[in-house]
Amino acid sequence: MELAMIGLGKMGGNMVVRLVKGGHRVVAFDVSPEAVKKSAELGAEGVNSLNEAVKKLKAPRIFWVMVPSGEVTEMTIREIAKLAAPGDVIIDGGNSYYKDSVRRAAELKVQGINFVDAGTSGGVWGVKEGYSLMVGGDEKVVAGLSPIFQTLAPAADKGWGRVGPAGAGHFTKMVHNGIEYGLMQAYAEGFEIMHAKKEFDLDLHQISEIWRYGSVVRSWLLDLTAGVLEQDATLDDLEAYVPDSGEGRWTVAEAIDLNVSAPIITLSLQQRIRSRQAAPFSDKLLSAMRNAFGGHAVKKTK
């Protein structure tokens, strides 16, 4: 099959590699000329504009959008829609909010353009291991795109599938990332407890390697953690600053809307937010209150 890959960051660029190796014809475009050049070196046909990408492909065309979520995705899909024709397919493989995907599918349907949302997991390792793909869209349209998904997935029959109508792919990926927050937080807290037990002089990398085989908590995430600890067991050169991409927030908000209790995912999100506060006002106020009612000592900055 042939398609246009729009957006050639680390994830998009690696997907181009896997698609080209899988025998697909890929037309690649990015706002960065260097990214286009690199993709051309990897076997894609680089183009300098969306209009050129449209002209390079035979109808019905397939456009895979792999750009940051939010306004960039909105603008990119709108531009493609202006150039596309009825029967064409736009796949959003980024981390878009699922309600935006539901809306986009309805808007594009009026033009006769098919919209598919492909929640994509695998990160930079996807080019080697394959990507986990949670696909939402019309059943017949998704079936027609299956050679692409089979090439990107770990295997033709593993790691991907249509999970429901448009929007369902990004909804499922949103929950996936919320779970990811909780798993990461649990590992981080466990290793911190061991790190704090100084009298045992525990080798955290050794323990992570032991847990990788046969233990109940073994996982790919633990494999990656072991690799990190092997390179730097103290992490002294890192700041305790953890961003969030937004998917955890959406998951927590959805849980509230659905009256579903999700304390672990919620707390893991709050911990990430807390990590970005050098001196939280709430902690200062706690100290001041203890001093006010009990005369407890406070620690001054100066």
Side-chain angles (χ1 to χ4, degrees), residues 249-265:
R249 296 176 186 235
W250 298 338
T251 305
V252 171
E254 193 68 26
I256 294 170
D257 287 346
L258 295 171
N259 287 318
V260 173
S261 175
I264 292 173
I265 294 174

Side-chain angles (χ1 to χ4, degrees), residues 101-157:
S101 296
V102 172
R103 170 180 56 80
R104 288 167 185 152
E107 292 172 349
L108 292 167
K109 186 176 181 180
V110 175
Q111 296 180 239
I113 299 171
N114 299 297
F115 178 84
V116 171
D117 54 305
T120 307
S121 181
V124 296
W125 290 85
V127 66
K128 178 182 178 183
E129 306 289 341
Y131 297 91
S132 175
L133 300 163
M134 297 141 269
V135 185
D138 179 84
E139 194 168 358
K140 290 184 179 180
V141 173
V142 173
L145 299 170
S146 60
I148 295 173
F149 298 130
Q150 290 170 356
T151 301
L152 291 172
D157 60 345

Side-chain angles (χ1 to χ4, degrees), residues 145-294:
L145 299 170
S146 60
I148 295 173
F149 298 130
Q150 290 170 356
T151 301
L152 291 172
D157 60 345
K158 290 183 176 66
W160 82 277
R162 176 186 178 270
V163 296
H170 282 149
F171 178 84
T172 307
K173 177 56 163 53
M174 175 190 76
V175 177
H176 165 283
N177 280 26
I179 293 170
E180 180 183 287
Y181 279 36
L183 290 172
M184 292 174 69
Q185 186 65 33
Y187 278 125
E189 290 177 8
F191 277 96
E192 181 168 16
I193 293 168
M194 292 187 291
H195 182 263
K197 195 66 173 175
K198 300 301 183 185
E199 62 263 40
F200 284 166
D201 191 27
L202 298 172
D203 183 334
L204 299 187
H205 173 244
Q206 178 204 25
I207 294 166
S208 68
E209 290 291 349
I210 292 172
W211 287 358
R212 287 180 63 202
Y213 304 96
S215 87
V216 173
V217 298
R218 65 188 184 274
S219 70
W220 183 57
L221 186 55
L222 180 61
D223 294 343
L224 296 177
T225 302
V228 168
L229 292 172
E230 181 180 21
Q231 295 298 318
D232 183 3
T234 64
L235 306 181
D236 288 338
D237 61 338
L238 293 181
E239 289 188 21
Y241 184 100
V242 188
D244 70 279
S245 62
E247 300 238 348
R249 296 176 186 235
W250 298 338
T251 305
V252 171
E254 193 68 26
I256 294 170
D257 287 346
L258 295 171
N259 287 318
V260 173
S261 175
I264 292 173
I265 294 174
T266 302
L267 278 174
S268 65
L269 170 64
Q270 293 293 341
Q271 282 295 107
R272 292 193 180 200
I273 294 171
R274 181 68 169 224
S275 77
R276 304 194 288 269
Q277 298 174 280
F281 179 81
S282 60
D283 287 358
K284 293 180 181 181
L285 187 57
L286 281 173
S287 179
M289 284 190 286
R290 289 184 78 248
N291 176 261
F293 70 70

Side-chain angles (χ1 to χ4, degrees), residues 10-41:
K10 284 185 178 179
M11 182 84 92
N14 286 345
M15 293 174 84
V16 167
V17 174
R18 198 166 178 86
L19 287 166
V20 170
K21 287 184 177 180
H24 299 277
R25 175 176 175 247
V26 181
V27 175
F29 171 69
D30 192 275
V31 292
S32 167
E34 283 300 312
V36 174
K37 180 181 178 182
K38 185 175 180 180
S39 289
E41 292 171 354

